[in-house]
Structure formats: structure tokens, C-alpha cells
Amino acid sequence: MAETIFAKIIRKEIPAQIVFESDTVIAFKDINPQAPVHVLIIPKITEIESARDLDPGKHAKLLGELYDAANTIAKQLGVFESGFRLVLNSGADSGQEVPHIHIHLLGGRKMNWPPG
Ligand code: 5GP
């Protein structure tokens, strides 16, 4: 599998504004924010390209940790009460650009529906 920019961020080889880190999860501000709060939450393992590769037998705990991190970060960045959106793009039609599973946490403004 090709190396992504996120693998370099995990190894701290390129800078990122890290807002949360555990043994299994790291989260950092998106370089091109689409809302006042825009954080990417990713697993440190690099083998899951998108949600399509999730295996409940292998990844259930990790998925829980990713979404738990989202709540922690939302509280930390002050959008837990006002509300926030979690987006998990999977594949070409969704607009996914980086093939390393990641959850977008967006908040700090009113979101529109349907999404673009
Ligand atoms: P996707 O379109 O794959 O769901 O989202 C990838 C996201 O990664 C985009 O929102 C993009 O702005 C962000 N991104 C791409 N390269 C970098 C980078 O080097 N640093 C950071 N912090 N974000 C990045």
C-alpha cells in the first residue's frame, strides 16, 4: 500500500497541529479547514484505507476509540454542546483524497444539509 501524508504526520516527520493523541489514535487540524473547527481523527495503524476496509472482528475497539476521541476533542475545542458533524468519506464519489481512514470533525458554524 502506498504511503500517505498521514503516515508522515503520525511519525512526526511533517508538522501538524495535533490536538489529541493516544497509543492508537492521533488527531490534528485540517490544513484546509472547512469550518472554524476542522480536525482529522485517524488511527495510527496505516492498513485501513477507508471504511470499506473495516473488519468488525479486528477493528471494533479501534472504531470505538476513534469516536470516543471525537467526543473528547469536541469538548476540548468547545463545540460539544453547540453540535458538530463527523464525516467519513469512503472512495471516489465521496471525495476521499487520502487513502488512510479518517473522520472529519467539523464545528463552530451551522452546517447545511444535504452536504455538497
Ligand atoms: P478526504 O478528502 O480524503 O476525506 O480528506 C483529506 C483531508 O486531509 C482534506 O480535508 C485535506 O485538507 C487534509 N489534508 C491533506 N493533506 C494534509 C496535510 O498535509 N496536513 C493536514 N493537516 N491536513 C491535510
Side-chain angles (χ1 to χ4, degrees), residues 5 28-32 40 89 95-98 102 104:
I5 196 85
F28 49 90
K29 293 190 179 174
D30 196 292
I31 204 166
N32 181 24
L40 300 172
N89 293 324
Q96 183 179 8
E97 288 172 357
V98 181
H102 51 281
H104 295 256

Side-chain angles (χ1 to χ4, degrees), residues 23-74:
D23 288 347
T24 54
V25 174
I26 190 165
F28 49 90
K29 293 190 179 174
D30 196 292
I31 204 166
N32 181 24
Q34 302 301 311
V37 171
H38 187 174
V39 169
L40 300 172
I41 305 163
I42 70 173
K44 287 185 172 176
I45 57 167
T46 58
E47 70 204 38
I48 313 170
E49 286 193 19
S50 82
R52 296 172 298 187
D53 305 308
L54 286 167
D55 174 344
K58 272 169 71 181
H59 302 130
K61 183 165 181 281
L62 178 61
L63 259 184
E65 290 167 349
L66 289 166
Y67 281 94
D68 192 50
N71 279 338
T72 300
I73 295 159

Side-chain angles (χ1 to χ4, degrees), residues 19-21 41 65-80 84 105:
V19 297
F20 176 92
E21 184 165 12
I41 305 163
E65 290 167 349
L66 289 166
Y67 281 94
D68 192 50
N71 279 338
T72 300
I73 295 159
K75 284 175 190 162
Q76 190 181 310
L77 299 183
V79 297
F80 188 80
F84 54 94
L105 188 161

